[in-house]
């Protein structure tokens, strides 16, 4: 598969090796908004904690197959490892605690960094594939970066927000110079913004200086509805559609789609 080919899906990996910065929240809510806007979207849960999976109301302990299967079995069928969420119109490749063992199982396997890329060759009819990565730069994250056309980096609006982004950029460059030359940076999402705090504004400015032209204009506010929604197994756009968090993710998704040249009905 040629990454970035005009007919295949756009594949974005949500990555930041820091935990708790909003990777899962962003992947889930962007996926839900994309589906509402008529895109055929697949969300791939690449974290053994399976937070995207549970955020969509799927019990991770009942999952059979899913991401684990796609990684450990080179012949795994993508459709067989995908769940369709009828109400949300999202396709989900779920994760399960098994995924924690995948790395060890793959350690001596040929092509272990390309498992996800190969599996996605069966997903040509999707508009978007969104990958939610674990908080590490492990083999799981590498599989996401190898399969992706571009990276989306959620950054929490807090002190030391930029810390670790140098290491992430190095990893991206290494993947680019080896397995996936076309890997690009799609953008940084500023998350958990508290408009009353001077620090939050300073952090946004600092990140914008560091990554000019790469920070999405729509900033995600700190909003309790975003934190509550996962325990109801729903994206915030369904759980609390009028909330500031839901509006922010909807607008961010529109910004993303329009930037990709997707025509949106008004
Ligand atoms: N904008 C936000 N406002 C309030 N809480 C948020 C927001 N974004 C994420 N959270 C909460 O913060 C925690 C970490 O977010 P999460 O998306 O799971 O981060 P990551 O996937 O990077 O570890 C979760 O409990 C989530 O519900
Ligand atoms: Mg997460």
């Amino acid at each position: 598969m040629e990454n970035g080919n005009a007919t295949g899906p756009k594949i974005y990996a949500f990555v930041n090796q820091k935990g708790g910065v909003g990777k899962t929240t962003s992947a889930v809510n962007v996926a839900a908004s994309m589906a509402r806007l008529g895109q055929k979207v697949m969300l791939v849960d690449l974290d053994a904690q399976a937070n995207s999976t549970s955020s969509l109301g799927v019990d991770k302990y009942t999952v059979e197959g899913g991401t684990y299967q796609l990684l450990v079995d080179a012949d795994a069928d993508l459709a067989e490892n995908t769940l369709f969420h009828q109400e949300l119109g999202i396709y989900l490749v779920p994760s399960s605690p098994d995924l924690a063992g995948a790395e060890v199982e793959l350690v001596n396997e040929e092509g272990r960094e390309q498992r996800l890329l190969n599996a996605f060759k069966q997903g040509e009819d999707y508009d978007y594939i969104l990958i939610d990565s674990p908080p590490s730069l492990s083999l799981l994250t590498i599989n996401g970066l190898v399969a992706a056309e571009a990276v989306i980096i959620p950054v929490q609006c807090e002190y030391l927000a930029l810390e670790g982004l140098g290491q992430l950029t190095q990893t991206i460059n290494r993947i680019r110079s080896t397995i996936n030359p076309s890997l690009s940076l799609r953008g940084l999402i500023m998350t958990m913004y508290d408009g009353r705090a001077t620090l939050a504004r300073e952090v946004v400015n600092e990140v914008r200086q560091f990554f000019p032209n790469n920070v999405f204009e729509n900033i995600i506010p700190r909003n309790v509805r975003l934190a509550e929604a996962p325990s109801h197994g729903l994206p915030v756009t369904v759980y609390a559609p009028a909330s500031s968090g839901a509006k922010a993710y909807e607008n961010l998704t529109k910004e993303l789609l329009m930037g990709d040249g997707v025509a949106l009905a008004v």
Side-chain angles (χ1 to χ4, degrees):
M1 179 174 69
E2 269 290 313
N3 278 355
N5 113 28
T7 56
K10 290 209 162 292
I11 306 178
Y12 291 149
F14 288 70
V15 181
N16 188 331
Q17 75 274 29
K18 258 195 210 180
V21 299
K23 289 180 293 296
T24 298
T25 306
S26 297
V28 165
N29 289 297
V30 168
S33 295
M34 281 182 168
R36 269 163 66 111
L37 291 164
Q39 300 297 301
K40 182 170 181 183
V41 50
M42 171 183 273
L43 176 63
V44 180
D45 192 345
L46 204 47
D47 187 350
Q49 289 180 53
N51 291 338
S52 304
T53 301
S54 9
S55 294
L56 293 184
V58 175
D59 179 357
K60 64 182 173 186
Y61 295 107
T62 65
V63 166
E64 285 175 27
T67 325
Y68 170 78
Q69 196 65 26
L70 296 184
L71 290 170
V72 298
D73 174 7
D75 300 317
D77 185 85
L78 182 63
E80 276 176 17
N81 288 289
T82 304
L83 305 172
F84 180 58
H85 196 301
Q86 200 91 34
E87 187 191 347
L88 303 172
I90 297 178
Y91 295 80
L92 170 71
V93 182
S95 170
S96 59
D98 288 343
L99 192 56
E103 194 140 358
V104 176
E105 288 180 52
L106 283 168
V107 79
N108 290 317
E109 293 274 330
E110 195 73 29
R112 62 183 175 278
E113 293 169 329
Q114 275 111 316
R115 288 292 168 92
L116 208 53
L117 171 71
N118 289 333
F120 289 168
K121 287 178 184 166
Q122 306 163 53
E124 282 292 300
D125 58 330
Y126 286 92
D127 295 310
Y128 280 95
I129 298 180
L130 305 183
I131 304 166
D132 180 23
S133 314
S136 66
L137 294 173
S138 63
L139 178 62
L140 296 176
T141 302
I142 300 297
N143 257 273
L145 292 174
V146 168
E149 138 180 2
V151 178
I152 293 179
I153 308 177
V155 178
Q156 190 178 345
C157 297
E158 55 145 33
Y159 183 57
L160 297 181
L162 283 167
E163 198 188 48
L165 291 188
Q167 197 191 353
L168 176 53
T169 307
Q170 271 174 29
T171 303
I172 293 170
N173 287 338
R174 184 167 59 79
I175 303 287
R176 202 183 267 152
S177 63
T178 53
I179 318 178
N180 185 4
S182 60
L183 182 67
S184 63
L185 172 59
R186 183 63 184 81
L188 291 88
I189 306 176
M190 301 306 302
T191 66
M192 299 183 231
Y193 180 81
D194 177 356
R196 294 162 305 179
T198 317
L199 175 67
R201 287 196 296 275
E202 285 172 4
V203 170
V204 171
N205 288 337
E206 193 186 18
V207 175
R208 281 197 169 127
Q209 268 169 26
F210 216 82
F211 293 92
N213 312 319
N214 281 128
V215 180
F216 289 106
E217 280 184 26
N218 285 283
I219 291 176
I220 309 302
R222 186 171 279 286
N223 175 227
V224 68
R225 300 286 179 233
L226 281 169
E228 291 168 0
S231 65
H232 297 266
L234 291 170
V236 76
T237 41
V238 175
Y239 169 67
S243 64
S244 62
K247 298 277 179 230
Y249 272 112
E250 262 165 26
N251 289 332
L252 172 75
T253 304
K254 286 181 183 162
E255 181 183 349
L256 183 62
L257 292 176
M258 288 192 289
D260 287 347
V262 175
L264 295 176
V266 255

